[in-house]
Amino acid sequence: MTQGFYKILSNIQLTRTVYKMVLGGDTGAITASGQFVNIKLDGKFLRRPISICDYDETTITLVYKVVGVGTEQMSKMTEGQELDVLVGLGNGYSLDKCGDKPLLIGGGVGVPPLYNLCKKLINEGKKVTVVLGFNTKEEIFLEDDFKKLGAEVLVATADGSYGVKGFVTDAMKDVDYTYFFTCGPMPMFKAIEAVASTSGQYSFEERMGCGFGACMGCSCKTKYGNKRICKDGPVLEREEIIW
Amino acid sequence: MVNTKVNLSGIILDNPVIPASGTFGFGYEFAELYDINCLGTFSFKGTTKDPRFGNPCPRIAECDSGMINAVGLQNPGVEKVIENELPKLKACFNKPVMANVSGFSVEDYAYTVEKLDSQEQIGWFEVNVSCPNVHGGGMSFGTSPEAAAEVTAACRKVTDKPLYIKLSPNVTNIVDIAKACEAAGADGISMINTMLGMRIDLKTKKPVIANKMGGFSGPAIKPVALRMVYQVYEAVKVPIIGMGGISTAEDVIEMMLAGATAVQVGAANLVDPFASKTIIENLPKVMEKYNIDDLSQIIGGAH
């Protein structure tokens, strides 16, 4: 983890509530897909943890949903402003055990951290299938980005306005996969847990205090002992999770 | 050259800045970020007789100029602290550390203090009779002078190390409780723990925190902490470790003027992991700005 000041290179709206912010600065502390940053905002006491959608040597891309006063403030920030950011937090996804045909399952605002993961898996020569779940057509984002990486993309919408009608579990029915990676809301996790046929990794969300393991504000129990979502997670292996 | 050293019950601190229990773990997380030997000392994560997971999540809620936590004393228990945490701490911190202890009965407190007493790394005990986040213990010992004195006396019997009692602000008269602890053998008073507070989510129309209430900390509580330290300073002879919303070197000086010999930094560490280090680095220049040569000379200066 490092602390630094990052310049906003762009901040654009993708859907009614989802924005994409690109930050410029040192990314050396990022070691894995699925890690997050923790952003200090003027007038807000606690930082805002946001998953990293993508990164390269000098930029970090965040795709975030406006869910409260902090993210709303972020959505109004403009190019050139600077942010105090803790970078490289959390464990991120581990690519070691995923076999040749990994399946990536994202629900709503859980989709972004899968993007860099998808990029890495494709660079490793894997045949990647991405299943994205949204409530309705207007809320879909990053679909084309995943396609451009070379992944096979299946979209499910709860109201059937686009792609498969239903949930991610409906869209993944006929997918042949060797392992899965997922990020999204808890009801989606439980549905996946009920049908998944392989091992996999889940990325969890929790209200955090510090985001770097000091306060024990986001602890959970696992089969491997107590873990802090911010430091020992947010990614947990399927085998260790207590549902 | 200004002098930032203070004497805390016979142990000289290079500076009065002490990260508060529960915001600094057992130190080694922060040692990855900077050399924590710059600290006066720090108070390690509240330790109990038995391992505790603590409360369900969410445990954290943000407030204006502060936060609420309801962690509930998550810790691996005193045996594992001695076996696993203290050796890791020793590898990155070569000063005496402050052992924060909590319990659910008078016997629990004494048991944990006695177990830790043999650990040479420990310079002081800070006995927490003020945790607002556990039921049937913690704060209930800190809300009556008799119960606080009973815990103090029991711990006093099992250690000769400096014994500080950490008091709750959630009381009618903190002065009476401080005096009772002093009379029962405490070497000092540590104050204040968090203030009981809550937030309600307008979307769910329910409390944000699973435990419903929690301990409010951060800059918002600093005036309350200053007032209480000021009052207790007038009533006891033992030293006070002051805390509550400390975020800057100016805050440290203000708390010392109220009567604190040393000052703890809590919630600020969680927002800025370098907060304690930055405060220490800024202290000399802020002292110079206010014509302070020797920090120990300003203790209680506002009286």
Side-chain angles (χ1 to χ4, degrees), chain B residues 175 177-180 182 189 231-240:
Chain B
V175 171
I177 296 165
K179 282 159 78 174
E182 182 184 40
I189 302 296
Q231 287 177 312
V232 168
Y233 180 82
E234 301 213 324
V236 301
K237 293 190 174 63
V238 294
I240 299 166

Side-chain angles (χ1 to χ4, degrees), chain A residues 13-74:
Chain A
Q13 192 167 9
L14 299 183
T15 72
R16 192 174 61 80
T17 56
V18 174
Y19 290 76
K20 174 175 162 180
M21 179 184 279
V22 181
L23 298 172
D26 181 17
T27 62
I30 303 171
T31 56
S33 307
Q35 287 187 309
F36 64 97
V37 298
N38 213 359
I39 303 175
K40 183 89 184 86
L41 297 171
D42 284 347
K44 300 289 177 288
F45 189 70
L46 294 175
R47 289 173 182 265
R48 264 55 186 177
I50 307 279
S51 65
I52 297 169
C53 174
D54 196 18
Y55 67 98
D56 58 26
E57 287 75 24
T58 57
T59 68
I60 300 170
T61 302
L62 309 174
V63 173
Y64 60 97
K65 183 176 180 178
V66 174
V67 293
V69 288
T71 39
E72 187 178 346
Q73 191 170 320
M74 278 177 66

Side-chain angles (χ1 to χ4, degrees), chain A residues 1-3 38 40 43-48 67-69 86 206-221 226-228 231, chain B residues 22-25 29-30 32-33 45 52-53 57-63 65-67 71 74 201 203 208 218-219 267 269-274:
Chain A
M1 176 181 91
T2 54
Q3 180 181 23
N38 213 359
K40 183 89 184 86
K44 300 289 177 288
F45 189 70
L46 294 175
R47 289 173 182 265
R48 264 55 186 177
V67 293
V69 288
L86 300 177
E206 188 50 79
R207 277 180 186 265
M208 293 175 186
C210 62
F212 53 88
C215 73
M216 304 287 163
C218 60
S219 296
C220 69
K221 290 179 185 174
N226 298 338
K227 291 200 168 183
R228 298 158 293 182
K231 176 90 176 181
Chain B
T23 68
F24 215 74
E29 307 282 2
F30 286 81
E32 289 173 22
L33 303 174
K45 176 71 187 158
R52 284 183 56 80
F53 173 70
C57 287
R59 296 175 170 184
I60 303 287
E62 188 184 45
C63 309
S65 290
M67 62 182 283
V71 170
Q74 181 178 346
D201 186 325
K203 284 180 194 158
V208 172
N269 293 311
L270 306 181
V271 178
D272 173 5
F274 298 93

